[in-house]
Amino acid sequence: MLRCFLRRLRRFGERRGCRLNNKINILYASDDNFAKVLGVSLYSLFVNNKKNDLEIKIIDQNISLNNRDKLLDVADQFERKIEFVKFPDFNEMIGTKLDIKRYSMSTFSRAMVENYYSESEERVLYLDCDTLILEDIYELYQCEFLQIIGAVNDCRNFSYQRNLGIRRENVYINAGVLLIDLKKWRAADCQVRFCGAIKKFNGFLEFPDNDVICREFQDEISLLPLKYNMITPFLMCNYREILSLRKPHKVMSETEYNEARNKPVIVHFTTCFLMKGRPWMYGCNHPYANLWYEIYNKTLWKEEPLKVLNGNKIVIYKIISMLPRRFIIQFFGLIHAYVKPFLQRKQTELCRR
């Protein structure tokens, strides 16, 4: 009864333009290389969430003083505060040197989430730096979910999942946007489990942190609506194309897919063979690249030139763009469905040995 009354009271307050309990814990992680990308994400968050009480922490992996000042300037433009928290020595913590492949060490910061919040805090929303927040996230933060983690379906095929040990009834998610129930996280000893799995599979996984989250917490993930994490393939491909490309065994409806494409809440600039670089590189063709650049020009990084895409990648993109779209999507669909799972299986077999 009390919970129902409070929910009605909150909705009444929202209709009158105010909010009860509108505090939102936001967690980012970044190194110095991604500081300006983080700056754009922060700006988009602030400009679209003026009603919300945002408590923002940034797990700092050696961000320079210059870039720190620029991040603080973004916050100052909106009279907001951000807190930098120290990134732990992860190699020392798990007792071995991590093979981070093409990623930054900061990508493993999600394992440490409980270290940055008191036991009285109930939730935190983790966001990757390469996100653009286009709308108010209050509704996302208030989502009711039963498990430890709320996340969006990444639409992987079952062969990829099976190699990781993820059962058919579960789903591979994208970990760039995670809504985490901190009380359940602590109760289930998730930090110890996460670190143990990272150590066990060190060097054998294509997406080290994402794969570990999907495998280790497969029974403890609730799916969030697609609009809260629109990765690049979802924006570059229509519904039929994404089915051909990813061949997912579990997929959202075409209606939800199209609605999310037309009105995403969070855009996530993941890589994709159909995209020329990313928005912080010259000539990016992502649907939201111009908006990203427009925000970039409102930050103190605006004087810094965009990166230039590697010559080999330009050649590959030109070849891809010359080929029939249907052919190239089917071709990469076969790679996703058969070639990558085969190579992945070989890697996991080595790990078991």
Side-chain angles (χ1 to χ4, degrees), residues 100-351:
I100 61 174
K101 299 187 182 293
R102 67 179 187 270
Y103 303 99
S104 163
M105 185 66 79
S106 62
T107 192
F108 294 100
S109 59
R110 282 163 281 208
M112 304 292 108
V113 61
E114 69 182 65
N115 291 3
Y116 305 113
Y117 295 94
S118 67
E119 293 192 0
S120 64
E121 298 290 353
E122 295 185 356
R123 286 187 176 189
V124 60
L125 177 63
Y126 170 86
L127 297 172
D128 270 358
C129 296
D130 55 347
T131 53
L132 204 60
I133 292 79
L134 304 181
E135 292 191 13
D136 191 306
I137 58 170
Y138 180 75
E139 184 179 329
L140 163 60
Y141 197 74
Q142 294 296 328
C143 274
E144 294 185 9
F145 63 103
L146 300 176
Q147 302 297 342
I148 296 172
I149 297 169
V152 168
N153 183 0
D154 196 73
C155 290
R156 295 276 172 174
N157 66 76
F158 181 63
S159 295
Y160 191 89
Q161 288 191 196
R162 181 177 54 206
N163 290 339
L164 290 173
I166 301 173
R167 293 183 297 279
R168 183 175 288 276
E169 63 268 22
N170 295 320
V171 176
Y172 188 95
I173 54 92
N174 183 282
V177 177
L178 297 176
L179 186 57
I180 300 172
D181 186 313
L182 289 169
K183 292 187 179 296
K184 291 178 181 177
W185 176 278
R186 288 189 173 100
D189 209 14
C190 290
Q191 181 166 303
V192 172
R193 291 164 56 193
F194 198 159
C195 292
I198 288 173
K199 183 176 182 179
K200 178 181 178 181
F201 292 99
N202 184 25
F204 292 98
L205 301 178
E206 182 180 5
F207 308 105
D209 60 321
N210 207 121
D211 286 353
V212 165
I213 290 171
C214 294
R215 183 186 189 280
E216 185 63 32
F217 306 114
Q218 59 180 290
D219 296 317
E220 297 155 309
I221 295 174
S222 295
L223 288 182
L224 298 176
L226 182 66
K227 63 183 178 180
Y228 293 128
N229 188 359
M230 285 299 288
I231 60 175
T232 302
F234 296 161
L235 287 165
M236 302 295 282
C237 298
N238 63 36
Y239 190 71
R240 288 187 178 182
E241 288 174 335
I242 204 68
L243 295 183
S244 177
L245 175 63
R246 290 292 183 94
K247 297 177 174 51
H249 79 290
K250 284 191 177 182
V251 67
M252 67 294 298
S253 70
E254 186 172 4
T255 299
E256 181 187 355
Y257 189 83
N258 290 334
E259 287 177 352
R261 289 186 79 208
N262 292 332
K263 198 174 182 181
V265 175
I266 299 176
V267 169
H268 186 187
F269 296 107
T270 56
T271 57
C272 177
F273 65 92
L274 293 170
M275 183 171 67
K276 183 181 179 183
R278 293 207 264 180
W280 45 96
M281 300 174 181
Y282 282 110
C284 178
N285 62 331
H286 190 284
Y288 287 89
N290 288 339
L291 178 58
W292 189 95
Y293 189 63
E294 181 183 320
I295 295 174
Y296 179 73
N297 281 326
K298 295 177 181 178
T299 71
L300 294 180
W301 287 280
K302 63 184 177 182
E303 303 300 329
E304 294 184 15
L306 298 179
K307 293 183 178 181
V308 178
L309 193 62
N310 178 284
N312 292 333
K313 291 182 178 179
I314 291 176
V315 172
I316 293 171
Y317 175 76
K318 285 183 176 179
I319 293 172
I320 289 174
S321 61
M322 290 169 60
L323 296 170
R325 182 178 176 90
R326 183 177 178 182
F327 166 78
I328 201 67
I329 287 176
Q330 289 178 341
F331 174 75
F332 276 91
L334 292 174
I335 291 177
H336 275 289
Y338 303 107
V339 178
K340 291 183 78 172
F342 172 78
L343 296 175
Q344 180 198 40
R345 186 167 63 252
K346 293 298 181 183
Q347 283 286 83
T348 52
E349 286 174 359
L350 285 173
C351 180

Side-chain angles (χ1 to χ4, degrees), residues 62-80:
N62 302 319
I63 300 175
S64 67
L65 290 177
N66 181 42
N67 278 330
R68 269 194 178 204
D69 287 342
K70 290 177 178 178
L71 289 168
L72 289 169
D73 179 76
V74 172
D76 288 343
Q77 290 185 51
F78 297 90
E79 299 182 343
R80 298 284 191 164

